[in-house]
Amino acid sequence: MADFLQYGYVVLWAALAALTFFIGRKQGLIGYLLSVFFVFMAVWYGLRAFGGLPVFEGVPGYIFRGSLILFLLVIVYIWWRSRKTDATSKTEDQNE
């Protein structure tokens, strides 16, 4: 049963990557970045499921966690910047 779930996670991450890629056309940069994140997750889980590599233990585990933190920080920064530019454009429109 555990092997089936590992393969299921790979399929789940790959499906989310494809979905966010197509939705990313409307969302812009943040949609494409989320798609890249899901591709990263699919590859990482695929290395464990198909390659049998211990990617969540030791140094690869730290690399995985660091990558997750980096993706999180970049996505939050892009979201925050887009909200800030939207807010300033709305106030400029109201002032006119």
Coordinates of all heavy atoms in Angstrom, one line a residue:
M1 N 0.8 -1.2 0.0 CA 0.0 0.0 0.0 C 0.9 1.3 0.0 O 0.5 2.2 -0.6 CB -0.9 0.0 1.2 CG -1.8 1.1 1.3 SD -3.2 0.9 0.3 CE -4.2 2.3 0.6
A2 N 2.0 1.2 0.7 CA 2.8 2.4 0.8 C 3.4 2.8 -0.6 O 3.6 3.9 -0.9 CB 3.9 2.2 1.8
D3 N 3.8 1.7 -1.3 CA 4.3 2.0 -2.7 C 3.3 2.7 -3.6 O 3.7 3.6 -4.3 CB 4.8 0.7 -3.3 CG 6.0 0.1 -2.6 OD1 6.8 0.9 -2.0 OD2 6.2 -1.1 -2.7
F4 N 2.1 2.2 -3.5 CA 1.0 2.8 -4.3 C 0.9 4.3 -3.9 O 0.7 5.2 -4.8 CB -0.3 2.1 -4.0 CG -1.5 2.8 -4.7 CD1 -1.6 2.7 -6.1 CD2 -2.4 3.5 -4.0 CE1 -2.7 3.3 -6.8 CE2 -3.5 4.1 -4.7 CZ -3.6 4.0 -6.0
L5 N 0.9 4.7 -2.6 CA 0.8 6.1 -2.2 C 2.0 6.9 -2.8 O 1.8 8.1 -3.1 CB 0.7 6.2 -0.7 CG -0.6 5.7 -0.1 CD1 -0.6 5.8 1.4 CD2 -1.8 6.5 -0.7
Q6 N 3.2 6.3 -2.8 CA 4.3 7.1 -3.3 C 4.1 7.4 -4.8 O 4.4 8.5 -5.2 CB 5.6 6.3 -3.2 CG 6.1 6.2 -1.7 CD 7.4 5.4 -1.6 OE1 8.0 5.1 -2.6 NE2 7.7 5.1 -0.4
Y7 N 3.6 6.5 -5.6 CA 3.3 6.7 -7.0 C 2.2 7.7 -7.1 O 2.1 8.6 -8.0 CB 3.0 5.4 -7.7 CG 4.1 4.4 -7.7 CD1 3.8 3.1 -7.4 CD2 5.4 4.8 -7.9 CE1 4.9 2.2 -7.4 CE2 6.5 3.9 -7.8 CZ 6.2 2.6 -7.6 OH 7.2 1.6 -7.5
G8 N 1.2 7.6 -6.2 CA 0.1 8.6 -6.2 C 0.5 10.0 -6.0 O 0.0 10.9 -6.6
Y9 N 1.4 10.2 -5.1 CA 2.0 11.5 -4.8 C 2.6 12.1 -6.1 O 2.5 13.3 -6.4 CB 2.9 11.5 -3.7 CG 2.3 11.4 -2.3 CD1 2.8 10.6 -1.3 CD2 1.2 12.2 -2.0 CE1 2.2 10.5 -0.1 CE2 0.6 12.1 -0.7 CZ 1.1 11.3 0.2 OH 0.5 11.2 1.4
V10 N 3.4 11.3 -6.8 CA 4.0 11.7 -8.0 C 3.0 12.2 -9.0 O 3.1 13.3 -9.6 CB 4.9 10.7 -8.6 CG1 5.5 11.1 -9.9 CG2 6.1 10.3 -7.6
V11 N 2.0 11.4 -9.2 CA 0.9 11.7 -10.1 C 0.2 13.0 -9.7 O -0.2 13.9 -10.5 CB -0.1 10.6 -10.3 CG1 -1.3 11.0 -11.1 CG2 0.6 9.4 -10.9
L12 N -0.1 13.1 -8.4 CA -0.8 14.3 -7.8 C 0.0 15.6 -8.1 O -0.5 16.6 -8.6 CB -1.0 14.1 -6.3 CG -1.5 15.4 -5.6 CD1 -3.0 15.6 -5.9 CD2 -1.3 15.2 -4.1
W13 N 1.3 15.5 -7.8 CA 2.2 16.7 -8.0 C 2.3 17.1 -9.5 O 2.2 18.2 -9.9 CB 3.6 16.5 -7.4 CG 3.6 16.5 -5.9 CD1 4.1 15.5 -5.2 CD2 3.1 17.5 -5.0 NE1 3.9 15.8 -3.8 CE2 3.4 17.0 -3.7 CE3 2.6 18.7 -5.1 CZ2 3.1 17.7 -2.5 CZ3 2.2 19.4 -4.0 CH2 2.5 18.9 -2.7
A14 N 2.4 16.1 -10.3 CA 2.4 16.3 -11.8 C 1.1 16.9 -12.3 O 1.1 17.8 -13.1 CB 2.8 15.0 -12.5
A15 N 0.0 16.4 -11.8 CA -1.3 16.9 -12.2 C -1.5 18.4 -11.7 O -2.0 19.2 -12.5 CB -2.4 16.1 -11.7
L16 N -1.0 18.7 -10.5 CA -1.1 20.1 -10.0 C -0.2 21.0 -10.9 O -0.5 22.1 -11.1 CB -0.7 20.1 -8.6 CG -1.8 19.6 -7.6 CD1 -1.2 19.6 -6.2 CD2 -3.0 20.5 -7.7
A17 N 1.0 20.5 -11.3 CA 1.9 21.3 -12.1 C 1.2 21.6 -13.4 O 1.3 22.7 -13.9 CB 3.2 20.5 -12.3
A18 N 0.6 20.6 -14.0 CA -0.1 20.9 -15.3 C -1.2 21.8 -15.2 O -1.4 22.8 -16.0 CB -0.6 19.6 -15.9
L19 N -2.0 21.7 -14.1 CA -3.2 22.5 -13.8 C -2.7 24.0 -13.6 O -3.3 24.9 -14.2 CB -4.0 22.0 -12.7 CG -5.2 22.9 -12.3 CD1 -6.2 22.8 -13.3 CD2 -5.7 22.4 -10.9
T20 N -1.7 24.2 -12.8 CA -1.3 25.5 -12.5 C -0.6 26.2 -13.7 O -0.5 27.4 -13.8 CB -0.4 25.6 -11.2 OG1 0.7 24.7 -11.4 CG2 -1.1 25.3 -10.0
F21 N 0.0 25.4 -14.5 CA 0.6 25.9 -15.7 C -0.5 26.5 -16.6 O -0.3 27.6 -17.1 CB 1.4 24.9 -16.5 CG 2.0 25.4 -17.8 CD1 3.1 26.2 -17.7 CD2 1.4 25.1 -19.0 CE1 3.7 26.7 -18.9 CE2 2.0 25.6 -20.2 CZ 3.1 26.4 -20.1
F22 N -1.6 25.8 -16.8 CA -2.7 26.3 -17.7 C -3.4 27.5 -17.0 O -3.8 28.4 -17.7 CB -3.6 25.2 -18.0 CG -3.0 24.2 -19.0 CD1 -2.9 22.9 -18.6 CD2 -2.5 24.6 -20.2 CE1 -2.4 22.0 -19.5 CE2 -2.0 23.7 -21.1 CZ -1.9 22.4 -20.7
I23 N -3.5 27.4 -15.7 CA -4.1 28.6 -14.9 C -3.2 29.7 -14.9 O -3.6 30.9 -14.8 CB -4.6 28.1 -13.5 CG1 -5.7 27.1 -13.7 CG2 -5.0 29.3 -12.7 CD1 -6.1 26.5 -12.4
G24 N -1.9 29.4 -14.9 CA -0.8 30.5 -14.8 C -0.9 31.5 -15.9 O -0.4 32.6 -15.8
R25 N -1.5 31.1 -17.0 CA -1.7 32.0 -18.1 C -2.5 33.3 -17.7 O -2.2 34.4 -18.1 CB -2.4 31.4 -19.3 CG -1.6 30.3 -20.0 CD -2.3 29.7 -21.1 NE -1.6 28.5 -21.6 CZ -2.1 27.7 -22.5 NH1 -3.3 28.0 -23.0 NH2 -1.4 26.7 -22.9
K26 N -3.5 33.0 -16.8 CA -4.3 34.1 -16.4 C -3.6 34.8 -15.2 O -3.8 36.0 -15.0 CB -5.7 33.6 -15.9 CG -6.5 33.1 -17.0 CD -7.9 32.7 -16.5 CE -8.7 32.1 -17.6 NZ -10.0 31.5 -17.1
Q27 N -2.9 34.1 -14.3 CA -2.4 34.6 -13.1 C -1.0 35.3 -13.3 O -0.6 36.1 -12.5 CB -2.2 33.5 -12.0 CG -3.5 32.9 -11.7 CD -4.5 33.8 -11.1 OE1 -4.1 34.7 -10.3 NE2 -5.8 33.7 -11.4
G28 N -0.3 35.0 -14.3 CA 1.0 35.6 -14.6 C 2.1 34.9 -13.9 O 2.1 33.6 -13.8
L29 N 3.0 35.6 -13.4 CA 4.3 35.1 -12.9 C 4.1 34.1 -11.7 O 4.7 33.1 -11.6 CB 5.2 36.2 -12.5 CG 6.6 35.8 -11.9 CD1 7.4 35.0 -12.9 CD2 7.3 37.0 -11.4
I30 N 3.2 34.5 -10.8 CA 3.0 33.6 -9.6 C 2.4 32.2 -10.0 O 2.7 31.2 -9.5 CB 2.1 34.3 -8.6 CG1 2.3 33.6 -7.2 CG2 0.6 34.4 -9.0 CD1 1.8 34.4 -6.1
G31 N 1.5 32.2 -11.1 CA 1.0 30.9 -11.5 C 2.1 30.0 -12.1 O 2.1 28.8 -11.9
Y32 N 3.0 30.6 -12.9 CA 4.1 29.9 -13.5 C 5.1 29.4 -12.4 O 5.6 28.3 -12.5 CB 4.8 30.7 -14.6 CG 4.0 30.8 -15.8 CD1 3.7 32.1 -16.3 CD2 3.4 29.8 -16.5 CE1 2.9 32.3 -17.4 CE2 2.6 29.9 -17.6 CZ 2.4 31.2 -18.1 OH 1.6 31.4 -19.2
L33 N 5.3 30.3 -11.4 CA 6.2 29.9 -10.3 C 5.6 28.7 -9.5 O 6.3 27.8 -9.1 CB 6.5 31.1 -9.4 CG 7.6 30.8 -8.4 CD1 8.9 30.5 -9.0 CD2 7.7 32.1 -7.5
L34 N 4.3 28.7 -9.3 CA 3.7 27.6 -8.6 C 3.8 26.3 -9.4 O 3.9 25.3 -8.9 CB 2.2 27.9 -8.3 CG 2.0 28.8 -7.1 CD1 0.5 29.2 -7.0 CD2 2.4 28.2 -5.8
S35 N 3.7 26.5 -10.7 CA 3.8 25.3 -11.6 C 5.2 24.7 -11.5 O 5.4 23.5 -11.4 CB 3.5 25.7 -13.1 OG 3.7 24.6 -13.9
V36 N 6.2 25.6 -11.5 CA 7.6 25.1 -11.3 C 7.8 24.4 -9.9 O 8.5 23.4 -9.8 CB 8.6 26.3 -11.4 CG1 10.0 25.9 -11.0 CG2 8.6 26.8 -12.8
F37 N 7.1 25.0 -8.9 CA 7.2 24.4 -7.6 C 6.6 23.0 -7.6 O 7.2 22.0 -7.1 CB 6.5 25.2 -6.6 CG 6.2 24.5 -5.2 CD1 7.3 24.3 -4.4 CD2 5.0 24.1 -4.9 CE1 7.1 23.7 -3.2 CE2 4.8 23.5 -3.7 CZ 5.9 23.3 -2.8
F38 N 5.5 22.8 -8.3 CA 4.8 21.5 -8.3 C 5.7 20.5 -9.2 O 5.7 19.3 -8.9 CB 3.4 21.6 -8.8 CG 2.5 22.2 -7.8 CD1 1.6 23.2 -8.2 CD2 2.5 21.9 -6.5 CE1 0.7 23.8 -7.3 CE2 1.6 22.5 -5.6 CZ 0.7 23.4 -6.0
V39 N 6.3 21.0 -10.2 CA 7.2 20.1 -11.0 C 8.4 19.7 -10.1 O 8.8 18.5 -10.1 CB 7.8 20.9 -12.2 CG1 8.9 20.1 -12.9 CG2 6.6 21.1 -13.3
F40 N 8.9 20.6 -9.3 CA 10.0 20.2 -8.4 C 9.5 19.1 -7.4 O 10.2 18.2 -7.2 CB 10.4 21.5 -7.6 CG 11.3 21.2 -6.4 CD1 12.6 20.8 -6.6 CD2 10.8 21.2 -5.1 CE1 13.5 20.5 -5.5 CE2 11.6 20.9 -4.0 CZ 12.9 20.6 -4.2
M41 N 8.3 19.3 -6.9 CA 7.8 18.3 -5.9 C 7.6 17.0 -6.6 O 7.9 15.9 -6.0 CB 6.5 18.8 -5.3 CG 6.6 20.0 -4.4 SD 7.5 19.7 -2.9 CE 6.3 18.8 -2.0
A42 N 7.1 17.0 -7.9 CA 6.9 15.7 -8.6 C 8.2 15.0 -8.8 O 8.3 13.8 -8.7 CB 6.2 16.0 -9.9
V43 N 9.2 15.8 -9.2 CA 10.5 15.2 -9.5 C 11.1 14.6 -8.2 O 11.6 13.5 -8.1 CB 11.5 16.2 -10.1 CG1 12.9 15.7 -10.1 CG2 11.0 16.5 -11.5
W44 N 11.0 15.4 -7.1 CA 11.6 15.0 -5.8 C 10.9 13.7 -5.3 O 11.5 12.7 -4.9 CB 11.4 16.1 -4.8 CG 12.4 15.9 -3.7 CD1 12.2 15.3 -2.5 CD2 13.8 16.4 -3.7 NE1 13.3 15.4 -1.7 CE2 14.3 16.0 -2.4 CE3 14.6 17.1 -4.6 CZ2 15.6 16.4 -2.1 CZ3 15.8 17.4 -4.2 CH2 16.4 17.0 -3.0
Y45 N 9.5 13.6 -5.4 CA 8.8 12.4 -4.9 C 9.1 11.3 -5.9 O 9.1 10.1 -5.5 CB 7.3 12.7 -4.8 CG 7.0 13.3 -3.4 CD1 7.1 14.6 -3.1 CD2 6.5 12.5 -2.4 CE1 6.8 15.2 -1.9 CE2 6.2 13.0 -1.2 CZ 6.4 14.3 -0.9 OH 6.1 14.8 0.3
G46 N 9.3 11.6 -7.2 CA 9.6 10.6 -8.2 C 10.9 9.9 -7.9 O 11.1 8.7 -8.2
L47 N 11.9 10.7 -7.5 CA 13.2 10.1 -7.2 C 13.0 9.1 -6.0 O 13.7 8.1 -6.0 CB 14.1 11.2 -6.7 CG 14.7 12.2 -7.8 CD1 15.5 13.3 -7.2 CD2 15.5 11.4 -8.8
R48 N 12.1 9.4 -5.1 CA 11.9 8.4 -4.0 C 11.1 7.2 -4.5 O 11.5 6.1 -4.2 CB 11.2 9.1 -2.9 CG 10.9 8.2 -1.7 CD 10.3 8.9 -0.6 NE 10.0 8.0 0.5 CZ 9.3 8.2 1.5 NH1 8.6 9.3 1.6 NH2 9.1 7.3 2.5
A49 N 10.1 7.5 -5.3 CA 9.2 6.4 -5.6 C 9.8 5.5 -6.7 O 9.7 4.3 -6.6 CB 7.8 7.0 -6.2
F50 N 10.4 6.1 -7.7 CA 10.9 5.3 -8.8 C 12.3 4.9 -8.7 O 12.8 3.9 -9.1 CB 10.6 6.0 -10.2 CG 9.2 6.2 -10.4 CD1 8.7 7.5 -10.5 CD2 8.3 5.2 -10.6 CE1 7.4 7.8 -10.8 CE2 7.0 5.4 -10.9 CZ 6.5 6.7 -11.0
G51 N 13.1 5.8 -8.0 CA 14.5 5.5 -7.9 C 14.9 4.9 -6.6 O 16.0 4.4 -6.4
G52 N 14.0 5.0 -5.6 CA 14.3 4.4 -4.3 C 15.4 5.2 -3.5 O 16.0 4.6 -2.6
L53 N 15.6 6.4 -3.9 CA 16.6 7.2 -3.2 C 16.0 7.8 -1.9 O 14.9 8.2 -1.8 CB 17.0 8.4 -4.1 CG 17.7 8.0 -5.4 CD1 17.9 9.2 -6.3 CD2 19.0 7.2 -5.2
P54 N 16.9 7.9 -0.8 CA 16.4 8.5 0.4 C 16.5 10.0 0.4 O 17.3 10.6 1.0 CB 17.4 7.9 1.4 CG 18.7 7.7 0.7 CD 18.2 7.4 -0.7
V55 N 15.5 10.6 -0.3 CA 15.6 12.1 -0.5 C 15.1 12.9 0.6 O 15.2 14.1 0.6 CB 14.8 12.4 -1.8 CG1 15.5 11.9 -3.0 CG2 13.4 12.0 -1.7
F56 N 14.5 12.2 1.6 CA 14.0 13.0 2.8 C 14.8 12.8 4.0 O 14.5 13.2 5.1 CB 12.5 12.6 3.1 CG 11.6 12.9 2.0 CD1 11.0 11.9 1.2 CD2 11.3 14.2 1.6 CE1 10.1 12.2 0.2 CE2 10.5 14.5 0.6 CZ 9.9 13.5 -0.1
E57 N 16.0 12.2 3.9 CA 16.9 11.9 5.0 C 18.2 12.5 4.8 O 18.7 12.6 3.6 CB 17.0 10.4 5.2 CG 15.7 9.6 5.4 CD 15.8 8.1 5.3 OE1 17.0 7.7 5.1 OE2 14.8 7.5 5.4
G58 N 18.8 13.0 5.8 CA 20.2 13.5 5.7 C 20.3 14.8 4.9 O 19.4 15.6 5.0
V59 N 21.4 14.9 4.2 CA 21.6 16.1 3.4 C 20.5 16.4 2.3 O 20.1 17.5 2.2 CB 23.0 16.1 2.7 CG1 23.3 17.3 1.8 CG2 24.1 16.0 3.8
P60 N 20.1 15.4 1.6 CA 19.0 15.7 0.6 C 17.7 16.2 1.3 O 17.0 17.0 0.8 CB 18.7 14.3 0.0 CG 20.0 13.6 0.1 CD 20.6 14.0 1.4
G61 N 17.5 15.8 2.5 CA 16.3 16.3 3.3 C 16.5 17.7 3.6 O 15.5 18.5 3.5
Y62 N 17.7 18.1 4.0 CA 17.9 19.6 4.2 C 17.8 20.4 3.0 O 17.3 21.5 3.0 CB 19.3 19.8 4.9 CG 19.4 19.2 6.3 CD1 20.4 18.3 6.6 CD2 18.5 19.6 7.3 CE1 20.5 17.7 7.9 CE2 18.6 19.0 8.5 CZ 19.6 18.1 8.8 OH 19.6 17.6 10.1
I63 N 18.3 19.8 1.9 CA 18.2 20.5 0.6 C 16.7 20.7 0.2 O 16.3 21.8 -0.2 CB 18.9 19.8 -0.5 CG1 20.4 19.8 -0.3 CG2 18.6 20.3 -1.9 CD1 21.3 18.9 -1.2
F64 N 15.9 19.7 0.5 CA 14.5 19.7 0.2 C 13.8 20.8 1.0 O 13.0 21.6 0.5 CB 13.9 18.3 0.5 CG 12.4 18.3 0.3 CD1 11.8 18.4 -1.0 CD2 11.5 18.2 1.4 CE1 10.4 18.3 -1.1 CE2 10.2 18.1 1.2 CZ 9.6 18.2 0.0
R65 N 14.1 20.8 2.3 CA 13.5 21.8 3.2 C 13.9 23.2 2.8 O 13.1 24.2 2.9 CB 13.9 21.5 4.7 CG 13.2 20.3 5.2 CD 13.6 20.0 6.6 NE 13.2 18.6 7.0 CZ 14.0 17.7 7.3 NH1 15.3 18.0 7.4 NH2 13.6 16.5 7.6
G66 N 15.2 23.4 2.5 CA 15.7 24.7 2.1 C 15.0 25.2 0.8 O 14.7 26.3 0.7
S67 N 14.8 24.2 -0.1 CA 14.1 24.6 -1.4 C 12.7 25.0 -1.1 O 12.2 25.9 -1.7 CB 14.1 23.4 -2.3 OG 15.5 23.0 -2.6
L68 N 12.0 24.3 -0.2 CA 10.6 24.6 0.1 C 10.6 26.0 0.7 O 9.7 26.8 0.4 CB 10.0 23.6 1.1 CG 9.7 22.2 0.6 CD1 9.1 21.4 1.7 CD2 8.8 22.3 -0.6
I69 N 11.5 26.3 1.6 CA 11.5 27.7 2.2 C 11.8 28.7 1.2 O 11.2 29.8 1.2 CB 12.6 27.7 3.4 CG1 12.1 26.9 4.6 CG2 12.8 29.2 3.8 CD1 13.1 26.7 5.6
L70 N 12.7 28.5 0.3 CA 13.0 29.4 -0.8 C 11.8 29.7 -1.7 O 11.5 30.8 -2.0 CB 14.2 28.9 -1.6 CG 14.7 29.9 -2.7 CD1 15.3 31.1 -2.1 CD2 15.7 29.2 -3.6
F71 N 11.1 28.6 -2.1 CA 9.9 28.7 -2.9 C 8.9 29.6 -2.2 O 8.2 30.4 -2.7 CB 9.3 27.4 -3.3 CG 9.9 26.8 -4.6 CD1 10.6 25.7 -4.6 CD2 9.6 27.4 -5.8 CE1 11.1 25.1 -5.8 CE2 10.1 26.9 -7.0 CZ 10.8 25.8 -7.0
L72 N 8.7 29.3 -0.9 CA 7.7 30.0 -0.1 C 8.0 31.5 0.0 O 7.1 32.3 -0.2 CB 7.6 29.4 1.3 CG 6.7 30.1 2.3 CD1 5.3 29.9 1.9 CD2 6.9 29.6 3.7
L73 N 9.2 31.8 0.2 CA 9.6 33.2 0.4 C 9.4 33.9 -1.0 O 8.9 35.1 -1.0 CB 11.1 33.3 0.9 CG 11.3 32.9 2.3 CD1 12.8 33.0 2.6 CD2 10.5 33.7 3.3
V74 N 9.8 33.3 -2.1 CA 9.7 34.0 -3.4 C 8.2 34.1 -3.8 O 7.8 35.2 -4.2 CB 10.5 33.1 -4.4 CG1 10.2 33.6 -5.8 CG2 12.0 33.2 -4.2
I75 N 7.4 33.1 -3.5 CA 6.0 33.2 -3.9 C 5.3 34.3 -3.0 O 4.5 35.1 -3.6 CB 5.3 31.8 -3.7 CG1 5.8 30.9 -4.9 CG2 3.8 31.9 -3.8 CD1 5.4 29.5 -4.7
V76 N 5.6 34.3 -1.7 CA 5.0 35.3 -0.9 C 5.5 36.7 -1.3 O 4.7 37.7 -1.3 CB 5.3 35.1 0.6 CG1 5.0 36.2 1.5 CG2 4.6 33.8 1.1
Y77 N 6.7 36.9 -1.6 CA 7.2 38.2 -2.1 C 6.5 38.7 -3.4 O 6.1 39.8 -3.5 CB 8.7 38.2 -2.3 CG 9.3 39.5 -2.9 CD1 9.3 40.6 -2.1 CD2 9.6 39.5 -4.2 CE1 9.8 41.8 -2.6 CE2 10.1 40.7 -4.7 CZ 10.2 41.8 -4.0 OH 10.6 43.0 -4.5
I78 N 6.4 37.8 -4.3 CA 5.7 38.1 -5.6 C 4.3 38.5 -5.3 O 3.7 39.4 -5.9 CB 5.9 37.0 -6.6 CG1 7.4 36.9 -7.1 CG2 5.0 37.2 -7.8 CD1 7.7 35.7 -7.9
W79 N 3.6 37.7 -4.5 CA 2.2 38.0 -4.2 C 2.1 39.3 -3.5 O 1.2 40.1 -3.8 CB 1.7 36.9 -3.3 CG 0.3 37.2 -2.7 CD1 -0.9 37.0 -3.4 CD2 0.0 37.7 -1.4 NE1 -1.9 37.4 -2.6 CE2 -1.4 37.8 -1.4 CE3 0.8 38.0 -0.3 CZ2 -2.0 38.3 -0.2 CZ3 0.1 38.5 0.8 CH2 -1.3 38.6 0.8
W80 N 3.0 39.6 -2.5 CA 3.0 40.9 -1.8 C 3.2 42.0 -2.7 O 2.5 43.1 -2.6 CB 4.0 40.8 -0.7 CG 4.1 42.1 0.1 CD1 3.3 42.7 1.0 CD2 5.2 43.1 -0.1 NE1 3.7 43.9 1.4 CE2 4.9 44.2 0.8 CE3 6.3 43.1 -0.9 CZ2 5.7 45.3 0.9 CZ3 7.1 44.2 -0.8 CH2 6.8 45.3 0.1
R81 N 4.2 41.9 -3.6 CA 4.5 43.0 -4.6 C 3.3 43.2 -5.5 O 3.0 44.4 -5.8 CB 5.7 42.6 -5.4 CG 6.3 43.8 -6.2 CD 7.5 43.4 -7.0 NE 7.0 42.5 -8.0 CZ 7.8 41.8 -8.8 NH1 9.1 41.9 -8.7 NH2 7.3 41.0 -9.7
S82 N 2.6 42.2 -6.0 CA 1.5 42.4 -6.9 C 0.3 43.0 -6.1 O -0.4 43.8 -6.7 CB 1.1 41.0 -7.5 OG 0.5 40.2 -6.5
R83 N 0.1 42.7 -4.9 CA -0.9 43.3 -4.1 C -0.6 44.8 -3.9 O -1.5 45.6 -3.9 CB -1.1 42.6 -2.7 CG -1.6 41.2 -2.8 CD -3.1 41.2 -2.7 NE -3.6 42.0 -1.6 CZ -4.6 41.7 -0.9 NH1 -5.3 40.6 -1.2 NH2 -5.0 42.5 0.1
K84 N 0.6 45.1 -3.6 CA 1.0 46.5 -3.4 C 0.8 47.3 -4.7 O 0.3 48.4 -4.6 CB 2.5 46.5 -3.0 CG 3.0 47.8 -2.6 CD 4.4 47.8 -2.1 CE 5.0 49.1 -1.8 NZ 6.4 49.1 -1.4
T85 N 1.2 46.8 -5.8 CA 1.1 47.5 -7.1 C -0.4 47.7 -7.4 O -0.8 48.7 -8.0 CB 1.8 46.9 -8.2 OG1 1.4 45.5 -8.4 CG2 3.3 46.9 -8.0
D86 N -1.2 46.6 -7.1 CA -2.7 46.8 -7.4 C -3.3 47.8 -6.5 O -4.1 48.6 -6.9 CB -3.4 45.4 -7.1 CG -3.1 44.4 -8.2 OD1 -2.6 44.8 -9.3 OD2 -3.4 43.2 -8.0
A87 N -2.9 47.9 -5.2 CA -3.4 48.9 -4.3 C -3.0 50.3 -4.7 O -3.8 51.2 -4.7 CB -2.9 48.6 -2.9
T88 N -1.8 50.5 -5.2 CA -1.4 51.8 -5.6 C -2.0 52.2 -6.9 O -2.4 53.4 -7.1 CB 0.2 51.9 -5.8 OG1 0.6 50.9 -6.7 CG2 0.9 51.7 -4.5
S89 N -2.3 51.3 -7.8 CA -3.0 51.6 -9.0 C -4.4 52.0 -8.8 O -5.0 52.9 -9.4 CB -2.9 50.5 -10.1 OG -3.6 49.4 -9.6
K90 N -5.0 51.3 -7.8 CA -6.4 51.7 -7.4 C -6.5 53.0 -6.8 O -7.5 53.8 -7.1 CB -7.0 50.6 -6.5 CG -7.3 49.3 -7.2 CD -7.9 48.3 -6.3 CE -8.2 47.0 -7.0 NZ -8.8 46.0 -6.1
T91 N -5.6 53.4 -5.9 CA -5.6 54.7 -5.3 C -5.4 55.8 -6.3 O -5.9 56.9 -6.3 CB -4.6 54.8 -4.2 OG1 -3.3 54.5 -4.6 CG2 -5.0 53.9 -3.0
E92 N -4.5 55.5 -7.3 CA -4.3 56.5 -8.4 C -5.5 56.7 -9.2 O -5.8 57.8 -9.7 CB -3.1 56.1 -9.2 CG -1.7 56.2 -8.5 CD -0.6 55.7 -9.4 OE1 -0.9 55.2 -10.5 OE2 0.5 55.7 -8.9
D93 N -6.2 55.6 -9.5 CA -7.4 55.7 -10.3 C -8.5 56.5 -9.6 O -9.3 57.2 -10.2 CB -8.0 54.3 -10.7 CG -7.1 53.6 -11.7 OD1 -6.3 54.3 -12.3 OD2 -7.2 52.3 -11.8
Q94 N -8.6 56.3 -8.3 CA -9.6 57.0 -7.5 C -9.3 58.5 -7.3 O -10.1 59.3 -7.2 CB -9.7 56.4 -6.1 CG -10.4 55.0 -6.1 CD -10.4 54.4 -4.7 OE1 -9.8 55.0 -3.8 NE2 -11.0 53.3 -4.6
N95 N -8.0 58.9 -7.4 CA -7.6 60.3 -7.3 C -7.8 61.0 -8.5 O -7.9 62.3 -8.5 CB -6.1 60.4 -6.9 CG -5.9 59.9 -5.4 OD1 -6.8 59.9 -4.6 ND2 -4.6 59.5 -5.1
E96 N -7.9 60.4 -9.6 CA -8.2 61.1 -10.9 C -9.6 61.5 -11.1 O -10.5 61.5 -10.7 CB -7.7 60.2 -12.1 CG -6.3 60.0 -12.1 CD -5.8 59.1 -13.3 OE1 -6.7 58.6 -14.0 OE2 -4.6 58.9 -13.4

